[in-house]
Amino acid sequence: GFRGNRMTKEYYFISDLHIGGDEALGVCDYEPELVRFLKELAVKGGEAELIIVGDIFGMWEFTDIKGPEKLQALIDQFPNIFEAFREAGSRITITMLPGNHDYEIACYPQFVEIFKQYNIRIEQQPSTVRELAGKRLWIEHGNQYDDFNQMPDFGNPYALPVGYFITSAMVSGAGKHSQYGRYNWLKDIQSVYPTEDIPYWMISNYFYREMSAWLRWLILPFLALWELSILVLVGGALEWLGITQTNIFLNNGLFASLGYLGNLVQIVIIINTIIFLVLAVLFVPIGFIIRDLRKTLKRFRVITRPQDLNIGKEQSYLDAAQAVFDNDPDTVMFIYGHTHDASVRRLGNRLVINTGTWLKRLVKSPVRFGYLPDIYVPSYFLDYFKITEDGGSIIVDFMKVEKAQPKELGLLQRILVSGKRPKQDESIPARTVLEF
């Protein structure tokens, strides 16, 4: 059996692992690291508790089975992970809170009994509390502050938010169709954040991974030299109008010294110039209309800039934390996940902690030149939080789990983003101390 947590002196927090789903989603990229992490926790003994702050499983991503059958499918997909839970849970307390993607955990009593077999405690409620150093820690997944994923009647398996239908159609659909691509990339749709970036991510992957190689290399010079083409067009116009006294654009002096290569560049620029002029004639009037329409939609707050959207989302969690702190002065920490963005922020002498995600992260990286699609650079930043007490103080340690970075980018992508590999977020201190 598993132990209670009355004597717990060490808490460990992870969230948003999103394990499982239809077809291509039935692979866990970080399975060895997760199993090793659980084995390391097992040696801590009865004073440790691992709390999984929701979305450990991708149950919304199963579309052909219902209810408790999803858990059996997960056990069949990941026997090593469940065995690691069983072993670790015999030595420490493992508690799981429901998120939105594994909301069924909160809805069926059968889940509680099945998870007991793997020494996992299920708390079928939206939030929970733990005590440390005479203070309280408030813990929840965080989806209740997200309009698209808020549960309107918590515990009712049929009262589902808009996010469920989007996930079922989009993410599970991606899992079913990902294997048909030239590369198995479509399954990573759940790693695209913010979700507003999904159309641009798909365009990027089409261009760099799915487009016929001969076609990509054929149009590459035109896209890469697009900005130079505009420069030549503007420079030639200024010379023709006599505004500048240079003589390098109209008489081709700019490329004459390059020989055959210069002639090829000239041909590309001429074609680009023709395309640019045609687009200008056709689309400038439409562009004004689109611009005015966007302004109108912004006034009505139908569309928002991604950075404003993210700021608004994060502020909702700070507001929720402040409400919890105001309601109970002895609660000094608000711990949540959901947004996949690990962070530690102070509100006075209290902390708001986002537990991040173990999913692959995709960082949008603009190319250095031309009008080529942005490249979404994949990386893993696996982390967890360890929270302990020491002499009446609460210690928060931000811990990193080592994992080899993915090598998925093609040659062209690697060239275009050379030197732009994302780095681990260093804004989170390795240790934060709350003193009372």
Side-chain angles (χ1 to χ4, degrees):
F2 50 85
R3 304 172 184 271
N5 62 344
R6 292 181 180 177
M7 300 300 294
T8 298
K9 299 295 182 182
E10 295 182 349
Y11 292 105
Y12 296 83
F13 294 90
I14 59 175
S15 74
D16 295 273
L17 277 66
H18 292 267
I19 300 171
D22 288 337
E23 300 198 25
L25 299 175
V27 175
C28 180
D29 294 334
Y30 49 82
E31 180 173 336
E33 290 78 16
L34 178 58
V35 169
R36 186 173 68 246
F37 169 68
L38 292 171
K39 289 181 181 295
E40 290 172 355
L41 285 188
V43 303
K44 302 290 182 181
E47 291 192 346
E49 180 180 9
L50 169 64
I51 300 178
I52 303 171
V53 192
D55 278 2
I56 183 172
F57 299 119
M59 292 187 176
W60 276 1
E61 286 79 0
F62 286 105
T63 55
D64 298 326
I65 51 178
K66 303 294 181 183
E69 293 179 27
K70 295 182 179 183
L71 181 52
Q72 187 56 53
L74 284 162
I75 294 170
D76 294 340
Q77 282 182 342
F78 306 102
N80 293 336
I81 291 178
F82 277 86
E83 186 56 36
F85 274 123
R86 191 202 304 272
E87 293 177 8
S90 66
R91 302 287 304 280
I92 67 170
T93 302
I94 299 178
T95 302
M96 190 180 297
L97 290 178
N100 50 302
H101 284 259
D102 49 16
Y103 172 60
E104 283 96 329
I105 289 174
C107 302
Y108 297 95
Q110 299 98 309
F111 277 116
V112 176
E113 297 306 313
I114 298 173
F115 275 115
K116 274 185 181 179
Q117 299 172 24
Y118 295 93
N119 297 327
I120 299 172
R121 299 170 65 245
I122 301 296
E123 294 197 19
Q124 294 183 306
Q125 55 194 35
S127 63
T128 190
V129 173
R130 294 292 185 272
E131 293 190 1
L132 200 60
K135 304 295 183 180
R136 281 186 279 277
L137 318 179
W138 178 280
I139 307 150
E140 63 176 291
H141 180 60
N143 60 290
Q144 292 299 90
Y145 309 107
D146 178 349
D147 291 340
F148 279 94
N149 293 290
Q150 182 185 59
M151 301 306 164
D153 181 19
F154 197 87
N156 182 349
Y158 304 106
L160 296 169
V162 174
Y164 164 78
F165 301 99
I166 295 174
T167 300
S168 296
M170 187 179 297
V171 180
S172 62
K176 289 181 176 180
H177 292 91
S178 183
Q179 60 185 317
Y180 300 120
R182 294 179 187 272
Y183 301 91
N184 193 11
W185 59 271
L186 193 56
K187 62 182 176 58
D188 290 333
I189 193 171
Q190 58 188 337
S191 296
V192 182
Y193 187 83
T195 53
E196 292 81 5
D197 262 1
I198 287 176
Y200 307 106
W201 171 75
M202 296 188 75
I203 291 171
S204 175
N205 276 283
Y206 167 71
F207 179 80
Y208 293 110
R209 311 184 92 177
E210 294 296 329
M211 181 181 283
S212 296
W214 68 266
L215 180 59
R216 178 169 54 249
W217 287 103
L218 178 65
I219 66 176
L220 180 64
F222 297 98
L223 295 175
L225 295 174
W226 185 258
E227 292 172 351
L228 180 59
S229 302
I230 296 175
L231 174 63
V232 171
L233 177 63
V234 172
L238 293 174
E239 288 180 354
W240 183 71
L241 293 171
I243 297 175
T244 61
Q245 303 305 313
T246 58
N247 193 29
I248 58 175
F249 295 105
L250 289 179
N251 293 326
N252 303 323
L254 187 62
F255 306 107
S257 61
L258 298 178
Y260 289 112
L261 178 61
N263 292 335
L264 289 174
V265 171
Q266 269 187 279
I267 292 171
V268 170
I269 289 176
I270 290 170
I271 295 174
N272 271 354
T273 302
I274 294 171
I275 294 173
F276 178 81
L277 292 173
V278 171
L279 291 177
V281 171
L282 293 177
F283 291 110
V284 165
I286 297 175
F288 282 114
I289 296 172
I290 292 174
R291 184 179 177 185
D292 189 72
L293 179 60
R294 286 179 63 86
K295 285 183 178 179
T296 303
L297 292 175
K298 284 181 180 179
R299 279 200 302 274
F300 284 97
R301 311 221 168 180
V302 175
I303 60 174
T304 313
R305 293 182 303 168
Q307 56 266 39
D308 294 339
L309 190 65
N310 292 340
I311 292 170
K313 286 179 180 178
E314 292 307 308
Q315 187 60 47
S316 67
Y317 294 102
L318 294 176
D319 292 343
Q322 189 62 60
V324 169
F325 297 151
D326 291 343
N327 186 60
D328 179 14
D330 286 330
T331 297
V332 297
M333 213 169 288
F334 182 94
I335 302 169
Y336 73 102
H338 188 59
T339 68
H340 298 187
D341 188 14
S343 61
V344 175
R345 287 165 291 183
R346 284 186 179 269
L347 283 181
N349 195 32
R350 294 175 171 83
L351 292 181
V352 181
I353 296 176
N354 186 323
T355 46
T357 183
W358 280 37
L359 281 175
K360 181 186 297 177
R361 300 189 185 189
L362 299 170
V363 178
K364 182 165 66 173
S365 179
V367 299
R368 286 191 162 85
F369 53 85
Y371 203 69
L372 297 165
D374 295 334
I375 295 171
Y376 290 77
V377 182
S379 59
Y380 292 108
F381 295 153
L382 311 187
D383 63 71
Y384 63 95
F385 285 89
K386 173 186 175 183
I387 302 180
T388 56
E389 62 175 288
D390 181 17
S393 299
I394 296 180
I395 311 297
V396 178
D397 290 318
F398 179 62
M399 315 291 287
K400 301 172 184 177
V401 178
E402 293 299 323
K403 178 170 177 58
Q405 295 300 330
K407 298 180 179 178
E408 300 172 352
L409 297 181
L411 175 61
L412 177 60
Q413 291 172 300
R414 294 198 303 272
I415 292 172
L416 293 175
V417 296
S418 59
K420 284 191 171 185
R421 277 278 177 183
K423 298 179 180 180
Q424 183 97 23
D425 187 353
E426 302 296 339
S427 64
I428 302 176
R431 170 163 288 191
T432 304
V433 180
L434 281 184
E435 297 179 334
F436 307 101

